Amino acid sequence: MTSSDQPETPRRPRHLISLDALSTAQVVRLLDRADALREEWLARHHKLDLLQGRTVINLFFENSTRTRTSFDLAAKRLGADVINFDIASSSTAKGESLVDTLHTLEAMHCDAFVVRHKENGTAEFLARHVRGTASVINAGDGNNAHPTQGLLDVYTIRRHRPDFSALRVLICGDILHSRVARSDIHALRALGVGTLRVCAPANLLPSQAELPGCEIVEDFDTALAGIDVVIMLRLQKERMEQAFVPSEQAYYARYGLDARRLRLARPDCLVMHPGPINREVEIASAVADGSQSCILEQVSNGVFVRMAVLAELLDS
Ligand code: CP
């Protein structure tokens, strides 16, 4: 608090690499800003000029539908220019290094790099090598962090359940390979979630040290009891160097969310999934498309949350 007893305005971050670097006040400020931008966008439905004259570069070394498109839309809705850098046709294919690519693009006067890469730590590495004032936003690195997904997930929950203190949240699926799980855990804990439970086969769980504040429950039916929000995760086959499950059918039988299992949770339990979904592998179509599903709402909210992140980092 300041001497006048006003709450201190949280410091604005330069980069967004991981949610563990943000205070609760910074997280709340981003969510509040997403709310304000949502209202403004829905009222006017035309571009804002907050980031006019700014340039955002999407540097996606891994595939994406939701994150890349929503950063593109978010930046444009704030008035920025956007370059969707095409890795396949770029000089990275001739062997140009990551750092040389960064400095080359920086020389063209860019204000933000939105980076996705399969290697943990890539966004943080680029943030350390930026020479000028550009911001780096992590759009997902390996299984380490996906901070804007964590933010949009808690934003979506907050729109339905503003009080996190008694909330019981379950994250189920391939937690070992999931950057979303790690960022969701940070975001939920920052907002003071009441109960945070994780459920996965033993070989798809990271160490307890990577699951701070989480109860681990191996049986999915048991884990669902009394839950207010269930976040299902995709089996990330592209990150598996060995068979982690005997078969998709066997996995679905033990860890798939179907209508029977959903009835074990609270009757108004929210169903979430960061996408893309594997239907009838981790979630039944009837549940993914059912009345309790927030999956497409998460996608819509992703644009407002990414607008808030860009505005917070770049709006001087
Ligand atoms: N949730 C998520 O990151 O989806 P994309 O891979 O489509 O961006």
Side-chain angles (χ1 to χ4, degrees), residues 99-114:
V99 171
D100 284 338
T101 303
L102 174 78
H103 291 159
T104 300
L105 296 171
E106 250 198 303
M108 298 182 210
H109 302 285
C110 305
D111 298 286
F113 295 95
V114 179

Side-chain angles (χ1 to χ4, degrees), residues 9-10 12 24-34 308 312:
T9 306
R12 282 165 45 166
T24 297
Q26 287 173 316
V27 171
V28 170
R29 183 178 152 109
L30 280 166
L31 303 186
D32 290 345
R33 193 150 194 187
E312 196 69 2

Side-chain angles (χ1 to χ4, degrees), residues 33 77 79 85 90 104 108 132 138 170 178 205 228 246-247 288 290 312:
R33 193 150 194 187
R77 287 179 185 178
F85 187 75
S90 75
T104 300
M108 298 182 210
N138 186 2
L170 170 64
S178 177
L205 270 176
D228 299 292
S247 69
E312 196 69 2

Side-chain angles (χ1 to χ4, degrees), residues 63-68 116 146 149 179-180 274-276 306:
N63 293 352
S64 168
T65 295
R66 282 147 281 268
T67 312
R68 182 165 132 158
R116 171 170 286 191
H146 192 348
Q149 183 72 46
R179 54 196 177 208
V180 174
R306 287 169 178 131

Side-chain angles (χ1 to χ4, degrees), residues 224-241:
L224 278 162
I227 287 296
D228 299 292
V229 180
V230 56
I231 301 172
M232 298 303 296
L233 299 174
R234 181 172 68 87
L235 274 183
Q236 300 206 19
K237 286 175 270 184
E238 73 276 22
R239 296 190 209 286
M240 295 181 184
E241 284 158 7

